[in-house]
Amino acid sequence: MVLEFTNIEELVRIASQAKENAYCPYSNFRVGAALVTESGEIYTGCNVENACYPVGNCAERTAIVKAVSEGHRSFKAIAVITDKAAKIMPCGLCRQSLIEFSKDLVVYIASVDLTFRVTTLSELLPHGFTAEDLN
Ligand SMILES: [Zn+2]
């Protein structure tokens, strides 16, 4: 699904809709994500679990893979939402996946009631490992 970015509340609602497709029979922990490209398009993702647990994929990385596979390499923001009242932060694997493409990503972390807090990827993953470290 490719949509045009409108506002943050809409982005959170789109992430919440993406959560409806979560495949999580093992954890019953649904997650949805909506990733905004530099050009303003939105790619959604949900978590996709597997009977072989490590094979499972997080919502954030589902959205990244969808966007990158369509040619996008830079992103402005991501909204992430769960069914919890708490605002659940992206896991370390997702933080590393996101920093590959956008160090300055704005991250909106929403709870089930659609309220959200704002942070940045640089706050979530300070001193992250990037391509610059390979040179
Ligand atoms: Zn994750």
Side-chain angles (χ1 to χ4, degrees), residues 30 51-54 121-122 125:
R30 299 191 309 167
C52 179
Y53 291 4
L121 188 56
S122 56
L125 188 61

Side-chain angles (χ1 to χ4, degrees), residues 9 27 53 57-58 67 76 84 91 101 112 118:
E9 287 77 15
S27 71
Y53 291 4
N57 202 50
C58 297
K76 293 195 287 197
K84 303 295 182 186
C91 77
F101 298 102
V112 67
V118 186

Side-chain angles (χ1 to χ4, degrees), residues 58 60-61 91 94:
C58 297
E60 300 93 316
R61 283 181 289 122
C91 77
C94 287

Side-chain angles (χ1 to χ4, degrees), residues 109-124:
I109 305 295
S111 51
V112 67
D113 65 0
L114 305 182
T115 61
F116 57 87
R117 64 169 283 194
V118 186
T119 185
T120 62
L121 188 56
S122 56
E123 284 181 339
L124 294 176

Side-chain angles (χ1 to χ4, degrees), residues 14-104:
I14 291 167
S16 183
Q17 288 169 357
K19 183 184 66 179
E20 297 299 314
N21 291 326
Y23 176 74
C24 52
Y26 309 105
S27 71
N28 292 310
F29 187 83
R30 299 191 309 167
V31 185
L35 179 67
V36 185
T37 69
E38 276 301 331
S39 52
E41 294 168 284
I42 297 174
Y43 286 83
T44 60
C46 64
N47 52 331
V48 181
E49 294 182 348
N50 190 285
C52 179
Y53 291 4
V55 176
N57 202 50
C58 297
E60 300 93 316
R61 283 181 289 122
T62 300
I64 293 168
V65 167
K66 287 170 68 177
V68 172
S69 69
E70 295 297 322
H72 298 280
R73 297 290 185 271
S74 186
F75 306 99
K76 293 195 287 197
I78 190 169
V80 183
I81 189 168
T82 69
D83 289 319
K84 303 295 182 186
K87 292 172 174 62
I88 310 293
M89 294 293 160
C91 77
L93 208 58
C94 287
R95 295 177 195 200
Q96 181 64 41
S97 294
L98 289 165
I99 205 169
E100 177 72 18
F101 298 102
S102 297
K103 278 185 179 176
D104 300 321

